[in-house]
Amino acid sequence: VAGWFAGRAGDRDDVHLDVLDLAEFPLPADLAVAPDTPSERLVRTLGQRLAGADGFVVVTPEYNHSYPAALKHLIDTYREQWFAKPVGFVSYGGMSGGLRAVEHLRAVFAEQHAVTVRDGVSFHSANAADFAPDGRVTTGAAPAAAAATALLDRMGWWGRALHRARTVEPFQS
């Protein structure tokens, strides 16, 4: 799902994508790590990448009516990096298509002073057979593509608007 969405976003000239796969960033459970250790450098590097972004699209599955613990840990590890930035969602899961996970995430990101975008993409009852090896959607491609376009359009608008606002008046929590 993430590869498919990254491909859609990569087709646009108004989107500059930095894909962060949480599997590549195993955040330490104890964030009170010693300075200049691999764990501290990982936390610092990831924080710098998040701080440099003008917005985020979270691709998440739904597990037990919510989102994965690794995603919660990422969100809670950082604070200012989320402030006054748009967050969009691409979700997948069983019958709900991950929408219950997204609803939980909206409340969490609101607490981080982020602006969640209404438009999103959801894949209901998705499985590996719904995607070709090159990442193309093989089932329900037209609605998914239209939803991705709407999400990216909204992210662009909010990203530009909030970037201008943060430039004129830095966000204070």
Side-chain angles (χ1 to χ4, degrees):
V1 175
W4 169 82
F5 185 76
R8 299 292 305 178
D11 289 341
R12 296 173 62 119
D13 60 0
D14 63 336
V15 174
H16 305 285
L17 201 59
D18 182 9
V19 177
L20 301 174
D21 184 344
L22 292 185
E24 297 172 8
F25 291 92
L27 292 171
D30 181 4
L31 293 174
V33 295
D36 206 34
T37 61
S39 292
E40 189 272 337
R41 285 191 298 272
L42 178 119
V43 170
R44 184 172 13 95
T45 298
L46 185 52
Q48 291 167 345
R49 286 175 73 180
L50 294 172
D54 280 327
F56 308 96
V57 175
V58 175
V59 178
T60 186
E62 179 179 315
Y63 294 113
N64 297 325
H65 291 227
S66 198
Y67 54 94
L71 180 53
K72 177 69 166 139
H73 188 47
L74 171 76
I75 297 165
D76 290 348
T77 298
Y78 302 96
R79 185 137 174 87
E80 292 85 10
Q81 290 85 344
W82 309 115
F83 286 178
K85 295 180 182 179
V87 179
F89 302 100
V90 176
S91 62
Y92 59 97
M95 293 176 65
S96 77
L99 295 176
R100 294 176 291 211
V102 169
E103 287 308 308
H104 290 176
L105 285 164
R106 288 184 191 285
V108 172
F109 277 110
E111 189 63 23
Q112 296 288 37
H113 301 286
V115 177
T116 61
V117 175
R118 180 201 171 279
D119 297 282
V121 182
S122 63
F123 290 96
H124 300 261
S125 301
N127 60 58
D130 295 329
F131 296 87
D134 65 0
R136 286 179 298 109
V137 174
T138 58
T139 306
T149 297
L151 172 59
L152 289 164
D153 289 347
R154 298 297 178 264
M155 288 296 298
W157 189 92
W158 279 106
R160 289 185 302 276
L162 291 171
H163 178 85
R164 283 191 299 269
R166 289 190 315 273
T167 301
V168 170
E169 182 179 342
F171 184 83
Q172 302 292 319
S173 69

